[in-house]
Amino acid sequence: MRRPFAVASFSLAVVLGCGTLPAAAAAPADTGRSATAVNALAAPDVDVTKVRAHLSELSAIAARNGGNRRSTTQGYRDSVAYVKGKLQAAGYTVTEQPCTSGCTSGAGPNLIAEWPQGDANNVYMFGAHLDSVSAGPGMNDNGSGSAALLENALALAQQNPAMRNRVRFAWWTDEEQGLNGSNFYVRSLSSTQRSGIRAYYNFDMVASTNGGYFINRITTSAAAPMKAYWDSLGLQPEENTEGAGRSDDYPFQQAGIPTSGYAMGASARKTSAQAAKWGGTAGSAYDPCYHRSCDTLTNINTTGLNRAADGIAHTLWQQAVS
Ligand code: DTR
Ligand code: ZN
Ligand code: ZN
């Protein structure tokens, strides 16, 4: 909910040179800065109640489609239609990419949405798998990442800041059957398109009820803004060892594209050291409903979900906003 990062300050001349002034332009009186100093646009505080509303829609979609959103089902296709409709209403041009090789027979498409501003040769991608396993509705895995990403895309459109670089969002099909949608996407890119992707950020299980704060490839420069945000909350994030090679960042990594992302953990058990610093139950799984029918709306850690959603916004703004 709160924004730990101080709003950056620039001289009025610099800001005027850049174009539109932000809405809240007055500098706080206690900064000691010049009276002409103004606030530059900072990342928005992404509203977790809106993220939860997207999750509720995905839950309802599963409920009317046999209880799951597996890639080959109407529940998956309805999930795609929901995300696509929200993005189109916000002004995105959205592409459904059919997965024509390597996917499970009958799997629905990937969904790709690009914000049409900023340098198209410097692309920052943010992705989450939208399919669930057949056992349940997949709220933490991976309604959580999908909904956090969707609300970030809508917040970007709503704020409409001047863009330095290009932002592309992806919701992947058929992750649960072998990372197939993201693998197809990466293999469909030309070498020029691949090298234009400066980083890919993945969000898979970002609201585990007994979770931890994990970052993929935490020491890399791609991870720096993700880590800086969680560090600013005092969360002491750790490397996502459990998830290494097990989600949609892997095909990007294999193609030589820098990757990172957030996760709160799956079936591995929380250590006593982790319980000491993060709370929760040592010796229990990060997500006790991993790949089970109980991965419902009650299996969502709203605090973790909020911290992930806000950290995505921070990273997106750092990497791509002017
Ligand atoms: N890709 C996940 C599998 C997974 C296993 N461990 C982790 C840890 C963090 C994130 C994801 C995972 C799945 O979709 O099942
Ligand atoms: Zn997953
Ligand atoms: Zn899974």
PDB file of all heavy atoms in Angstrom, residues 71-94:
ATOM      1  N   SER A  71      -4.832 -25.372 -19.357  1.00  0.00           N
ATOM      2  CA  SER A  71      -4.591 -24.716 -20.655  1.00  0.00           C
ATOM      3  C   SER A  71      -5.489 -25.198 -21.785  1.00  0.00           C
ATOM      4  O   SER A  71      -5.741 -24.453 -22.734  1.00  0.00           O
ATOM      5  CB  SER A  71      -3.124 -24.906 -21.062  1.00  0.00           C
ATOM      6  OG  SER A  71      -2.838 -26.286 -21.213  1.00  0.00           O
ATOM      7  N   THR A  72      -5.948 -26.423 -21.708  1.00  0.00           N
ATOM      8  CA  THR A  72      -6.732 -27.015 -22.804  1.00  0.00           C
ATOM      9  C   THR A  72      -8.240 -26.801 -22.649  1.00  0.00           C
ATOM     10  O   THR A  72      -9.007 -27.338 -23.468  1.00  0.00           O
ATOM     11  CB  THR A  72      -6.470 -28.534 -22.857  1.00  0.00           C
ATOM     12  OG1 THR A  72      -6.683 -29.061 -21.534  1.00  0.00           O
ATOM     13  CG2 THR A  72      -5.046 -28.833 -23.283  1.00  0.00           C
ATOM     14  N   THR A  73      -8.653 -26.052 -21.643  1.00  0.00           N
ATOM     15  CA  THR A  73     -10.078 -25.993 -21.296  1.00  0.00           C
ATOM     16  C   THR A  73     -10.720 -24.638 -21.609  1.00  0.00           C
ATOM     17  O   THR A  73     -10.032 -23.632 -21.834  1.00  0.00           O
ATOM     18  CB  THR A  73     -10.263 -26.246 -19.786  1.00  0.00           C
ATOM     19  OG1 THR A  73      -9.666 -25.140 -19.073  1.00  0.00           O
ATOM     20  CG2 THR A  73      -9.604 -27.547 -19.353  1.00  0.00           C
ATOM     21  N   GLN A  74     -12.049 -24.644 -21.534  1.00  0.00           N
ATOM     22  CA  GLN A  74     -12.797 -23.387 -21.657  1.00  0.00           C
ATOM     23  C   GLN A  74     -12.447 -22.450 -20.503  1.00  0.00           C
ATOM     24  O   GLN A  74     -12.471 -21.228 -20.673  1.00  0.00           O
ATOM     25  CB  GLN A  74     -14.305 -23.679 -21.683  1.00  0.00           C
ATOM     26  CG  GLN A  74     -15.154 -22.483 -22.074  1.00  0.00           C
ATOM     27  CD  GLN A  74     -14.845 -21.987 -23.480  1.00  0.00           C
ATOM     28  OE1 GLN A  74     -14.576 -22.782 -24.378  1.00  0.00           O
ATOM     29  NE2 GLN A  74     -14.841 -20.672 -23.670  1.00  0.00           N
ATOM     30  N   GLY A  75     -12.136 -23.013 -19.351  1.00  0.00           N
ATOM     31  CA  GLY A  75     -11.733 -22.174 -18.215  1.00  0.00           C
ATOM     32  C   GLY A  75     -10.490 -21.350 -18.551  1.00  0.00           C
ATOM     33  O   GLY A  75     -10.378 -20.183 -18.145  1.00  0.00           O
ATOM     34  N   TYR A  76      -9.552 -21.937 -19.286  1.00  0.00           N
ATOM     35  CA  TYR A  76      -8.378 -21.176 -19.723  1.00  0.00           C
ATOM     36  C   TYR A  76      -8.779 -20.129 -20.762  1.00  0.00           C
ATOM     37  O   TYR A  76      -8.391 -18.955 -20.662  1.00  0.00           O
ATOM     38  CB  TYR A  76      -7.279 -22.091 -20.289  1.00  0.00           C
ATOM     39  CG  TYR A  76      -6.103 -21.261 -20.754  1.00  0.00           C
ATOM     40  CD1 TYR A  76      -5.242 -20.682 -19.839  1.00  0.00           C
ATOM     41  CD2 TYR A  76      -5.910 -20.982 -22.108  1.00  0.00           C
ATOM     42  CE1 TYR A  76      -4.195 -19.858 -20.250  1.00  0.00           C
ATOM     43  CE2 TYR A  76      -4.878 -20.160 -22.532  1.00  0.00           C
ATOM     44  CZ  TYR A  76      -4.014 -19.601 -21.596  1.00  0.00           C
ATOM     45  OH  TYR A  76      -2.991 -18.772 -22.000  1.00  0.00           O
ATOM     46  N   ARG A  77      -9.562 -20.542 -21.740  1.00  0.00           N
ATOM     47  CA  ARG A  77      -9.943 -19.595 -22.800  1.00  0.00           C
ATOM     48  C   ARG A  77     -10.760 -18.426 -22.231  1.00  0.00           C
ATOM     49  O   ARG A  77     -10.590 -17.283 -22.670  1.00  0.00           O
ATOM     50  CB  ARG A  77     -10.684 -20.333 -23.914  1.00  0.00           C
ATOM     51  CG  ARG A  77      -9.763 -21.270 -24.720  1.00  0.00           C
ATOM     52  CD  ARG A  77     -10.436 -21.833 -25.957  1.00  0.00           C
ATOM     53  NE  ARG A  77     -11.459 -22.805 -25.643  1.00  0.00           N
ATOM     54  CZ  ARG A  77     -11.240 -24.113 -25.446  1.00  0.00           C
ATOM     55  NH1 ARG A  77     -10.005 -24.600 -25.531  1.00  0.00           N
ATOM     56  NH2 ARG A  77     -12.236 -24.929 -25.184  1.00  0.00           N
ATOM     57  N   ASP A  78     -11.597 -18.699 -21.248  1.00  0.00           N
ATOM     58  CA  ASP A  78     -12.340 -17.603 -20.604  1.00  0.00           C
ATOM     59  C   ASP A  78     -11.395 -16.696 -19.811  1.00  0.00           C
ATOM     60  O   ASP A  78     -11.626 -15.476 -19.725  1.00  0.00           O
ATOM     61  CB  ASP A  78     -13.428 -18.158 -19.676  1.00  0.00           C
ATOM     62  CG  ASP A  78     -14.633 -18.711 -20.446  1.00  0.00           C
ATOM     63  OD1 ASP A  78     -14.614 -18.727 -21.695  1.00  0.00           O
ATOM     64  OD2 ASP A  78     -15.601 -19.134 -19.778  1.00  0.00           O
ATOM     65  N   SER A  79     -10.361 -17.274 -19.224  1.00  0.00           N
ATOM     66  CA  SER A  79      -9.353 -16.463 -18.521  1.00  0.00           C
ATOM     67  C   SER A  79      -8.663 -15.511 -19.498  1.00  0.00           C
ATOM     68  O   SER A  79      -8.449 -14.325 -19.199  1.00  0.00           O
ATOM     69  CB  SER A  79      -8.308 -17.356 -17.846  1.00  0.00           C
ATOM     70  OG  SER A  79      -8.902 -18.229 -16.901  1.00  0.00           O
ATOM     71  N   VAL A  80      -8.308 -16.033 -20.666  1.00  0.00           N
ATOM     72  CA  VAL A  80      -7.692 -15.200 -21.713  1.00  0.00           C
ATOM     73  C   VAL A  80      -8.641 -14.072 -22.110  1.00  0.00           C
ATOM     74  O   VAL A  80      -8.237 -12.897 -22.209  1.00  0.00           O
ATOM     75  CB  VAL A  80      -7.322 -16.060 -22.950  1.00  0.00           C
ATOM     76  CG1 VAL A  80      -6.925 -15.181 -24.134  1.00  0.00           C
ATOM     77  CG2 VAL A  80      -6.198 -17.032 -22.606  1.00  0.00           C
ATOM     78  N   ALA A  81      -9.916 -14.416 -22.301  1.00  0.00           N
ATOM     79  CA  ALA A  81     -10.896 -13.396 -22.726  1.00  0.00           C
ATOM     80  C   ALA A  81     -11.053 -12.312 -21.666  1.00  0.00           C
ATOM     81  O   ALA A  81     -11.185 -11.122 -21.995  1.00  0.00           O
ATOM     82  CB  ALA A  81     -12.238 -14.063 -23.019  1.00  0.00           C
ATOM     83  N   TYR A  82     -11.022 -12.706 -20.397  1.00  0.00           N
ATOM     84  CA  TYR A  82     -11.150 -11.718 -19.314  1.00  0.00           C
ATOM     85  C   TYR A  82      -9.980 -10.732 -19.331  1.00  0.00           C
ATOM     86  O   TYR A  82     -10.169  -9.509 -19.333  1.00  0.00           O
ATOM     87  CB  TYR A  82     -11.238 -12.413 -17.942  1.00  0.00           C
ATOM     88  CG  TYR A  82     -11.209 -11.420 -16.814  1.00  0.00           C
ATOM     89  CD1 TYR A  82     -12.310 -10.618 -16.548  1.00  0.00           C
ATOM     90  CD2 TYR A  82     -10.056 -11.237 -16.042  1.00  0.00           C
ATOM     91  CE1 TYR A  82     -12.268  -9.666 -15.535  1.00  0.00           C
ATOM     92  CE2 TYR A  82     -10.013 -10.286 -15.036  1.00  0.00           C
ATOM     93  CZ  TYR A  82     -11.122  -9.503 -14.788  1.00  0.00           C
ATOM     94  OH  TYR A  82     -11.077  -8.555 -13.800  1.00  0.00           O
ATOM     95  N   VAL A  83      -8.756 -11.258 -19.355  1.00  0.00           N
ATOM     96  CA  VAL A  83      -7.569 -10.391 -19.332  1.00  0.00           C
ATOM     97  C   VAL A  83      -7.539  -9.523 -20.593  1.00  0.00           C
ATOM     98  O   VAL A  83      -7.312  -8.300 -20.530  1.00  0.00           O
ATOM     99  CB  VAL A  83      -6.288 -11.248 -19.199  1.00  0.00           C
ATOM    100  CG1 VAL A  83      -5.038 -10.374 -19.316  1.00  0.00           C
ATOM    101  CG2 VAL A  83      -6.288 -12.001 -17.867  1.00  0.00           C
ATOM    102  N   LYS A  84      -7.830 -10.133 -21.724  1.00  0.00           N
ATOM    103  CA  LYS A  84      -7.819  -9.407 -22.999  1.00  0.00           C
ATOM    104  C   LYS A  84      -8.821  -8.254 -22.991  1.00  0.00           C
ATOM    105  O   LYS A  84      -8.507  -7.139 -23.426  1.00  0.00           O
ATOM    106  CB  LYS A  84      -8.140 -10.382 -24.133  1.00  0.00           C
ATOM    107  CG  LYS A  84      -8.064  -9.774 -25.510  1.00  0.00           C
ATOM    108  CD  LYS A  84      -8.382 -10.825 -26.580  1.00  0.00           C
ATOM    109  CE  LYS A  84      -8.190 -10.256 -27.973  1.00  0.00           C
ATOM    110  NZ  LYS A  84      -8.475 -11.281 -29.005  1.00  0.00           N
ATOM    111  N   GLY A  85     -10.020  -8.502 -22.498  1.00  0.00           N
ATOM    112  CA  GLY A  85     -11.053  -7.464 -22.457  1.00  0.00           C
ATOM    113  C   GLY A  85     -10.636  -6.272 -21.607  1.00  0.00           C
ATOM    114  O   GLY A  85     -10.839  -5.112 -21.995  1.00  0.00           O
ATOM    115  N   LYS A  86     -10.050  -6.549 -20.453  1.00  0.00           N
ATOM    116  CA  LYS A  86      -9.588  -5.458 -19.577  1.00  0.00           C
ATOM    117  C   LYS A  86      -8.492  -4.636 -20.259  1.00  0.00           C
ATOM    118  O   LYS A  86      -8.465  -3.403 -20.169  1.00  0.00           O
ATOM    119  CB  LYS A  86      -9.053  -6.027 -18.263  1.00  0.00           C
ATOM    120  CG  LYS A  86     -10.116  -6.610 -17.352  1.00  0.00           C
ATOM    121  CD  LYS A  86     -10.933  -5.507 -16.732  1.00  0.00           C
ATOM    122  CE  LYS A  86     -12.062  -6.049 -15.889  1.00  0.00           C
ATOM    123  NZ  LYS A  86     -12.961  -4.991 -15.405  1.00  0.00           N
ATOM    124  N   LEU A  87      -7.568  -5.329 -20.928  1.00  0.00           N
ATOM    125  CA  LEU A  87      -6.453  -4.638 -21.581  1.00  0.00           C
ATOM    126  C   LEU A  87      -6.945  -3.796 -22.753  1.00  0.00           C
ATOM    127  O   LEU A  87      -6.515  -2.646 -22.941  1.00  0.00           O
ATOM    128  CB  LEU A  87      -5.421  -5.662 -22.067  1.00  0.00           C
ATOM    129  CG  LEU A  87      -4.654  -6.401 -20.966  1.00  0.00           C
ATOM    130  CD1 LEU A  87      -3.939  -7.611 -21.546  1.00  0.00           C
ATOM    131  CD2 LEU A  87      -3.658  -5.468 -20.283  1.00  0.00           C
ATOM    132  N   GLN A  88      -7.848  -4.352 -23.543  1.00  0.00           N
ATOM    133  CA  GLN A  88      -8.349  -3.608 -24.700  1.00  0.00           C
ATOM    134  C   GLN A  88      -9.121  -2.375 -24.258  1.00  0.00           C
ATOM    135  O   GLN A  88      -8.976  -1.304 -24.849  1.00  0.00           O
ATOM    136  CB  GLN A  88      -9.233  -4.518 -25.564  1.00  0.00           C
ATOM    137  CG  GLN A  88      -8.406  -5.515 -26.363  1.00  0.00           C
ATOM    138  CD  GLN A  88      -9.255  -6.447 -27.209  1.00  0.00           C
ATOM    139  OE1 GLN A  88     -10.361  -6.822 -26.812  1.00  0.00           O
ATOM    140  NE2 GLN A  88      -8.728  -6.843 -28.350  1.00  0.00           N
ATOM    141  N   ALA A  89      -9.894  -2.517 -23.195  1.00  0.00           N
ATOM    142  CA  ALA A  89     -10.662  -1.370 -22.684  1.00  0.00           C
ATOM    143  C   ALA A  89      -9.728  -0.260 -22.204  1.00  0.00           C
ATOM    144  O   ALA A  89     -10.097   0.915 -22.199  1.00  0.00           O
ATOM    145  CB  ALA A  89     -11.578  -1.827 -21.557  1.00  0.00           C
ATOM    146  N   ALA A  90      -8.506  -0.629 -21.809  1.00  0.00           N
ATOM    147  CA  ALA A  90      -7.533   0.363 -21.328  1.00  0.00           C
ATOM    148  C   ALA A  90      -6.702   0.951 -22.464  1.00  0.00           C
ATOM    149  O   ALA A  90      -5.870   1.826 -22.214  1.00  0.00           O
ATOM    150  CB  ALA A  90      -6.616  -0.289 -20.296  1.00  0.00           C
ATOM    151  N   GLY A  91      -6.873   0.447 -23.676  1.00  0.00           N
ATOM    152  CA  GLY A  91      -6.166   1.014 -24.817  1.00  0.00           C
ATOM    153  C   GLY A  91      -5.018   0.195 -25.366  1.00  0.00           C
ATOM    154  O   GLY A  91      -4.301   0.664 -26.252  1.00  0.00           O
ATOM    155  N   TYR A  92      -4.821  -0.993 -24.857  1.00  0.00           N
ATOM    156  CA  TYR A  92      -3.756  -1.850 -25.378  1.00  0.00           C
ATOM    157  C   TYR A  92      -4.183  -2.511 -26.688  1.00  0.00           C
ATOM    158  O   TYR A  92      -5.363  -2.834 -26.874  1.00  0.00           O
ATOM    159  CB  TYR A  92      -3.427  -2.975 -24.394  1.00  0.00           C
ATOM    160  CG  TYR A  92      -2.568  -2.546 -23.234  1.00  0.00           C
ATOM    161  CD1 TYR A  92      -3.144  -2.007 -22.079  1.00  0.00           C
ATOM    162  CD2 TYR A  92      -1.182  -2.673 -23.280  1.00  0.00           C
ATOM    163  CE1 TYR A  92      -2.366  -1.605 -21.009  1.00  0.00           C
ATOM    164  CE2 TYR A  92      -0.391  -2.280 -22.211  1.00  0.00           C
ATOM    165  CZ  TYR A  92      -0.982  -1.749 -21.078  1.00  0.00           C
ATOM    166  OH  TYR A  92      -0.204  -1.356 -20.029  1.00  0.00           O
ATOM    167  N   THR A  93      -3.214  -2.722 -27.543  1.00  0.00           N
ATOM    168  CA  THR A  93      -3.397  -3.641 -28.662  1.00  0.00           C
ATOM    169  C   THR A  93      -2.923  -4.997 -28.173  1.00  0.00           C
ATOM    170  O   THR A  93      -1.788  -5.143 -27.723  1.00  0.00           O
ATOM    171  CB  THR A  93      -2.576  -3.195 -29.883  1.00  0.00           C
ATOM    172  OG1 THR A  93      -3.016  -1.888 -30.245  1.00  0.00           O
ATOM    173  CG2 THR A  93      -2.786  -4.149 -31.044  1.00  0.00           C
ATOM    174  N   VAL A  94      -3.811  -5.958 -28.214  1.00  0.00           N
ATOM    175  CA  VAL A  94      -3.540  -7.256 -27.592  1.00  0.00           C
ATOM    176  C   VAL A  94      -3.505  -8.326 -28.675  1.00  0.00           C
ATOM    177  O   VAL A  94      -4.347  -8.342 -29.573  1.00  0.00           O
ATOM    178  CB  VAL A  94      -4.628  -7.578 -26.551  1.00  0.00           C
ATOM    179  CG1 VAL A  94      -4.252  -8.819 -25.766  1.00  0.00           C
ATOM    180  CG2 VAL A  94      -4.844  -6.405 -25.611  1.00  0.00           C
TER     181      VAL A  94
END
